[in-house]
């Protein structure tokens, strides 16, 4: 996963996301916040740039105070390819399994993908 920090990249991503509303709504707000100076200490991750399949937004890992606080560890996701989402959830360190977390998204298949990956790892989903 690549963290986008460049204002030009964030602006291009924002424009792309606006064209796919309402499905992109969970990540669009964070992209806009990060592009405007990032007062909330979030980061925007993509699987590749500029042709991404998955976008994940999260609080910077160093900002986490309590690993059990899943409200502070909210992840928002938008994906174009469900397979890329499953790779993100199951095989990368972008989603830390050392902390409780929530995943927010509006696309069909998200719940199934989360439950399947969690089940394969022996983790509980609430």
């Amino acid at each position: 996963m690549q963290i986008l920090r460049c204002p030009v990249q964030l602006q291009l991503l924002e424009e792309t996301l606006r064209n796919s509303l309402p499905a992109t709504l969970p990540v669009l707000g964070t992209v806009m916040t990060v592009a405007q100076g990032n007062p909330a200490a979030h980061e925007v991750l993509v699987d590749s740039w500029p042709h991404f399949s998955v976008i994940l937004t999260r609080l910077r890992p160093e900002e986490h105070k309590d690993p059990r606080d899943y409200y502070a560890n909210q992840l928002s996701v938008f994906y174009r390819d469900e397979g890329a989402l499953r790779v993100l959830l199951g095989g990368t360190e972008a989603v830390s399994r050392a902390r409780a977390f929530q995943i927010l998204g509006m696309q069909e298949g998200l719940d199934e993908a989360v439950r399947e990956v969690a089940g394969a790892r022996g983790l509980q989903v609430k």
Side-chain angles (χ1 to χ4, degrees), residues 2-108:
Q2 176 182 351
I3 299 173
L4 296 185
R5 293 185 179 99
C6 173
V8 174
Q9 289 176 328
L10 291 165
Q11 182 63 38
L12 288 171
L13 181 58
E14 182 181 335
E15 291 171 14
T16 301
L17 294 174
R18 285 180 186 273
N19 292 330
S20 296
L21 284 169
T24 59
L25 196 56
V27 296
L28 179 59
T30 303
V31 170
M32 293 169 62
T33 299
V34 171
Q36 295 297 319
N38 200 15
H42 282 86
E43 55 189 15
V44 176
L45 294 89
V46 293
D47 60 336
S48 61
W49 184 257
H51 304 290
F52 62 89
S53 295
V54 179
I55 300 170
L56 179 77
T57 64
R58 66 182 185 188
L59 187 65
R60 287 189 204 135
E62 62 270 13
E63 298 295 325
H64 294 285
K65 307 297 185 231
D66 182 357
R68 297 167 294 158
D69 185 0
Y70 58 87
Y71 287 110
N73 193 18
Q74 288 186 348
L75 311 170
S76 296
V77 67
F78 170 75
Y79 55 93
R80 293 179 172 164
D81 174 20
E82 194 171 317
L85 172 68
R86 290 173 189 273
V87 168
L88 167 74
L89 295 174
T92 69
E93 292 304 315
V95 179
S96 173
R97 287 171 274 294
R99 300 182 195 47
F101 61 88
Q102 293 185 64
I103 295 182
L104 308 171
M106 295 178 60
Q107 295 165 277
E108 285 190 39

